[in-house]
Amino acid sequence: MKLVELDKKKFDNYIKNHPTKSHFLQSAAWGEFSYKARGLKPFYVALIDESEKIVGASLLLKKALPFGLCYLYAPRGFVIDYTNNDQIRTMTEEVVAFAKRKKAIFVKIDPDIIYHNQDYLGEEVETPYDAKKIIHDLKEAGFRHLGFTKNFETTQPRYTFRIDLSQSMETIESHFSKTTKQRIQKSLKLKTEVVIGSEKDIPEFYHLMMLTEARKDFVSHNEEYYQMLYDIFNKENKATLFLGKINIEKILEENKKELAEIEKEITTLPTENLSKSAKNKLKEFTRKKEVLEKEIQKYEEALEKYGKEVTLNAHWIMEYGDKAWVLYAGNHNILTETYANYHTYLEHIKFCKERGLKIYDQFGTIGDLSKTNPRLGLHEFKKKFGGNYIEFIGEFDYVTNKFMYFVFTRLVPFYRKIIKRKSKKEVQNEVSRNQ
């Protein structure tokens, strides 16, 4: 068997139709996007046998380093049969030989091989392969395992939640938490609307992403990044924006209607010598009236400030092969009690199932579930939708230049850390001098 480069169409056809390892991060479109957005040169390689049949393939992204060096990264690993040790060994040998010709100091992979799988009840689900043997075989082939990280230290998330879309929609919804079901019902009662957006909605999506990231104290990408990603993947309609909206006028109309009904109920009660039952009814009606009056005041102020219709969330669903990923989710920080976000999740789960997809992936959570972990809220939110809690086997590096690998992975990060500390100290000194 030998490694060859394929044209993008032939490569993508193989990846997309692979029975177990199709992934949008291995697609030709991701290669094109990585080059345009990040300057990573894509190589579309395949392992072929004597009859020219493809038995494995991989997108390899080349990251240029100083002195003409580089490293290669296969996002979500080689697209091969990982239960076949000969394929692991041969693919590794051929890719490493290819990497050496490109002066790569290492090759990184992070296969989406499941290490642990728990259902929504926390029960372990058996995988159709032995993940520990696959780790062993990758090590035998020459890879270094970079460990079982617990947060987002790796290039791609090592944990995620996945929903099996082969189940009926009734079964999928039955796995939602009680709170999630209640919030979806409230959202539907408030007549929140979920629509599929288009290219013209990218600015709105970006605005919501900025609001979300500001709350988390980081900024990841600019608007051009998202526009480019949308354009490239939508050559085949694989990126879909879902927008969760509320109509404030409709909410006000419903609240005022409900208030009028309660006020009418109150007038039916006697004004004197109330029975215990009547007193309890009056107390309950009065409480509901006060709540509704506050709600009406709040939404009247929102109507004046934001207008009739407001987009509260925008979710980006990436589709490839038989899977879908919730790649990004931007949410407004106002009127969160409408739970439009929950309704939006429900609608794109339905959408993915109706499209005949098999797996719905929430694209990232954590393994450190300690109460002090600031990301625990993200984990608990995603868990509410009843997906299986998935742990992947992690990252692996095949080192081809030990000295430069040491420099790149140890000394350079250490140097950057020192520079960052020095910079902070210089700023502090400057502030002190000017106080």
Side-chain angles (χ1 to χ4, degrees), residues 145-156:
H145 186 219
L146 303 188
F148 297 105
T149 56
K150 294 293 185 181
N151 290 295
F152 291 107
E153 304 94 334
T154 48
T155 311
Q156 305 301 335

Side-chain angles (χ1 to χ4, degrees), residues 277-293:
S277 174
K279 286 180 181 178
N280 288 336
K281 282 185 179 180
L282 180 60
K283 184 178 179 180
E284 180 61 19
F285 286 148
T286 302
R287 184 191 67 79
K288 287 182 177 179
K289 180 183 176 183
E290 290 173 353
V291 169
L292 281 168
E293 285 172 342

Side-chain angles (χ1 to χ4, degrees), residues 210-346:
M210 289 289 287
L211 291 174
T212 302
E213 291 173 356
R215 292 196 297 273
K216 298 177 182 177
D217 196 27
F218 78 97
V219 176
S220 54
H221 307 298
N222 57 29
E223 187 174 338
E224 289 72 25
Y225 176 97
Y226 296 115
Q227 184 67 62
M228 186 184 300
L229 182 63
Y230 188 86
D231 290 344
I232 289 173
F233 272 86
N234 263 330
K235 290 174 183 177
E236 295 186 16
N237 299 314
K238 298 302 179 186
T240 308
L241 287 179
F242 285 80
L243 307 176
K245 300 172 176 285
I246 60 165
N247 187 307
I248 297 176
E249 283 187 348
K250 286 184 179 178
I251 293 175
L252 276 169
E253 184 181 324
E254 288 296 315
N255 282 344
K256 287 178 180 178
K257 182 180 176 182
E258 190 174 348
L259 178 62
E261 290 173 354
I262 287 174
E263 288 175 335
K264 185 179 178 180
E265 290 287 346
I266 290 175
T267 61
T268 63
L269 295 173
T271 55
E272 297 179 355
N273 301 319
L274 272 70
S275 65
K276 185 177 179 180
S277 174
K279 286 180 181 178
N280 288 336
K281 282 185 179 180
L282 180 60
K283 184 178 179 180
E284 180 61 19
F285 286 148
T286 302
R287 184 191 67 79
K288 287 182 177 179
K289 180 183 176 183
E290 290 173 353
V291 169
L292 281 168
E293 285 172 342
K294 288 179 181 178
E295 287 284 295
I296 289 168
Q297 182 182 353
K298 179 179 65 179
Y299 283 112
E300 283 177 341
E301 291 171 357
L303 180 63
E304 185 177 348
K305 187 172 182 179
Y306 302 109
K308 176 182 174 181
E309 188 176 79
V310 185
T311 300
L312 291 182
N313 45 74
H315 298 176
W316 185 305
I317 308 302
M318 194 71 84
E319 181 186 338
Y320 188 76
D322 58 0
K323 305 177 186 71
W325 295 262
V326 187
L327 193 56
Y328 302 113
N331 300 294
H332 217 309
N333 52 5
I334 61 167
L335 304 176
T336 55
E337 70 279 2
T338 63
Y339 301 117
N341 191 31
Y342 286 79
H343 185 194
T344 307
Y345 266 95
L346 174 65

Side-chain angles (χ1 to χ4, degrees), residues 350-394:
K350 286 181 179 178
F351 173 86
C352 291
K353 178 163 179 60
E354 288 168 2
R355 295 271 282 180
L357 302 177
K358 295 179 180 177
I359 292 175
Y360 171 93
D361 190 316
Q362 297 216 55
F363 204 68
T365 185
I366 54 174
D368 171 15
L369 304 183
S370 60
K371 292 183 179 180
T372 55
N373 191 333
R375 299 178 180 90
L376 186 61
L378 170 72
H379 175 87
E380 292 299 323
F381 174 78
K382 292 185 176 184
K383 181 181 178 181
K384 289 177 181 178
F385 291 91
N388 282 27
Y389 182 35
I390 304 292
E391 177 186 3
F392 298 116
I393 59 175

Side-chain angles (χ1 to χ4, degrees), residues 1-3 45 47 60 72 78 89-104 106-107 141 143 398-400:
M1 291 190 281
K2 63 180 179 179
L3 198 73
V45 301
L47 190 66
L60 299 175
L72 298 180
F78 307 141
R89 179 177 47 79
T90 305
M91 188 72 174
T92 301
E93 289 173 355
E94 291 295 319
V95 168
V96 167
F98 179 87
K100 288 179 178 178
R101 293 195 295 272
K102 301 297 179 184
K103 296 185 178 180
F106 68 97
V107 176
F143 279 99
Y398 191 110
V399 180
T400 58

Side-chain angles (χ1 to χ4, degrees), residues 136-202:
H136 173 269
D137 291 345
L138 286 168
K139 288 180 178 179
E140 285 288 302
F143 279 99
R144 296 182 181 185
H145 186 219
L146 303 188
F148 297 105
T149 56
K150 294 293 185 181
N151 290 295
F152 291 107
E153 304 94 334
T154 48
T155 311
Q156 305 301 335
R158 208 174 75 77
Y159 293 84
T160 192
F161 283 102
R162 281 182 171 177
I163 294 175
D164 176 6
L165 295 177
S166 67
Q167 304 171 100
S168 69
M169 199 60 217
E170 291 76 14
T171 299
I172 290 171
E173 289 186 56
S174 73
H175 296 167
F176 291 176
S177 71
K178 182 180 178 181
T179 302
T180 299
K181 294 173 186 174
Q182 291 172 342
R183 289 176 176 178
I184 288 173
Q185 286 304 310
K186 180 175 180 181
S187 183
L188 294 172
K189 182 181 178 183
L190 292 174
K191 301 188 185 308
T192 59
E193 184 183 10
V194 180
V195 300
I196 292 178
S198 65
E199 185 179 6
K200 68 179 178 61
D201 296 300
I202 293 288

